[in-house]
Amino acid sequence: MIKTEVKGEVVKIGEGLKITDKFSKRRLLINTGNEYKPELCIEFFNQKMDLLDSIAEGETVNVHVDIFTNRSSKGQYFASISGWRIDVEKTNEGNNIIHDEVIESDDLPF
């Protein structure tokens, strides 16, 4: 299993899907901005599905994910991306990312 982070803009937040009495999942589609196939689908399971309630489409998020491979009964392999934490990028009214560092003057050394 690989633990990593994926940053992008929320495109769509799916509805919850109950698989069994003890297992549910919900999907998040984000645009990573990559040139080739920029949209990525991330699944959230059971209690982690609630994390999607605090975000909205169009927000920029950083999603902590686990990437792992499963093998089917027919011997085929497929990858899964499972989210377990979401950090929302703070923005101002102009929808620009707010930085902690403030530049005091225009007298830059270059």
Side-chain angles (χ1 to χ4, degrees), residues 17-80:
L17 178 63
K18 185 174 183 177
I19 308 299
T20 67
D21 288 339
K22 296 181 180 182
F23 183 71
S24 298
K25 69 179 179 178
R26 193 171 173 193
R27 293 182 175 153
L28 170 68
L29 184 65
I30 65 171
N31 185 329
T32 62
N34 292 338
E35 183 177 344
Y36 180 72
K37 296 194 178 194
E39 293 185 336
L40 185 65
C41 182
I42 302 170
E43 294 182 313
F44 290 78
F45 301 103
N46 298 331
Q47 301 93 331
K48 297 297 182 184
M49 292 176 15
D50 295 341
L51 296 172
L52 300 176
D53 293 338
S54 62
I55 62 171
E57 292 178 5
E59 285 187 306
T60 300
V61 295
N62 190 38
V63 184
H64 298 255
V65 298
D66 294 333
I67 303 172
F68 52 94
T69 303
N70 290 313
R71 184 173 183 231
S72 73
S73 59
K74 296 180 181 181
Q76 297 173 325
Y77 290 89
F78 58 96
S80 296

Side-chain angles (χ1 to χ4, degrees), residues 1 5-6 12 20 24 27 34 41 52 64 77 82 87-88 94 97 103 107:
M1 175 172 47
E5 298 176 19
V6 179
K12 185 173 182 178
T20 67
S24 298
R27 293 182 175 153
N34 292 338
C41 182
L52 300 176
H64 298 255
Y77 290 89
S82 174
D87 298 322
V88 178
I97 295 174
I103 298 175
D107 296 328

